[in-house]
Amino acid sequence: QPGRGFMGKRSAPGDPGAPLPSPQSADALILPHAHAFSLETASQASGIATNPPDGVIGCCAVSPGLVLLTLRAGSPSGYGLRDWPLLVGGAGVGDEPAFVLAYGGVVRSPLAVRFAAAAAAYMHGVDDAYFCGGSFWDGLGDRPTLRQIAERAVETLRGPLPLDEADRERWLAAEAQAAGKLR
């Protein structure tokens, strides 16, 4: 059924003959101005602008429910080479908890958090659409504040600690690759 998101019958983990749910259509997405938690989070922007955490050099609400944070953090030979715009707002990426329970995957994050720079695609923990992955939310709970999100984003640029040796090597390799794109 063209135009309805119907993907046909495919195998799903645990049930080889079951059809998978069709992907969300664009009209089903929750945009920042219609997402209650985004509106709540955006209301905190003036406080961050007045008293920014270390590594945040700018913060403003660009539209209802959407915040633009500007970050400058990381080593001068890596992520610290440039300013990093970060958009916060809208429904988070991932799947609904019931789907994850049945088929596996990553539970939907509470908000969409997206770097607005192409080089972010090379960052460890950021997907190819520049959205922060599931590990970004570890330990932040279901309703993190804008300050917590900003601090975590700065941590992403500086390298989260503590890391085991393998994670540290992956992070350093991702930083080097991204820095190569910035030069």
Side-chain angles (χ1 to χ4, degrees):
Q1 295 178 357
R4 292 211 163 267
F6 183 72
M7 299 299 292
K9 194 166 181 124
R10 293 185 290 161
S11 295
D15 187 2
L20 284 176
S22 61
Q24 281 189 331
S25 62
D27 61 342
L29 296 176
I30 302 173
L31 299 176
H33 69 277
H35 188 244
F37 188 47
S38 294
L39 293 168
E40 178 186 324
T41 303
S43 73
Q44 301 165 27
S46 62
I48 298 295
T50 303
N51 182 22
D54 186 41
V56 176
I57 60 172
C59 178
C60 65
V62 293
S63 66
L66 186 64
V67 174
L68 172 64
L69 294 167
T70 305
L71 312 174
R72 173 63 76 125
S75 74
S77 61
Y79 293 137
L81 282 170
R82 63 162 295 155
D83 294 348
W84 291 92
L86 184 78
L87 294 168
V88 178
V93 296
D95 295 313
E96 295 304 319
F99 181 87
V100 173
L101 184 62
Y103 299 104
V106 177
V107 175
R108 183 174 300 280
S109 55
L111 288 171
V113 174
R114 182 178 194 226
F115 282 93
Y122 301 98
M123 287 182 176
H124 182 67
V126 175
D127 71 17
D128 59 354
Y130 321 135
F131 285 96
C132 295
S135 62
F136 181 87
W137 301 100
D138 288 350
L140 292 182
D142 294 339
R143 297 185 75 76
T145 65
L146 184 58
R147 180 169 298 277
Q148 289 173 306
I149 292 167
E151 289 169 347
R152 179 61 55 90
V154 167
E155 184 180 287
T156 299
L157 297 173
R158 290 190 174 144
L161 297 173
L163 288 176
D164 66 31
E165 191 60 32
D167 281 343
R168 185 78 184 156
E169 290 302 317
R170 281 193 294 277
W171 186 88
L172 289 170
E175 181 188 39
Q177 186 175 16
K181 304 293 180 189
L182 300 176
R183 292 189 180 105

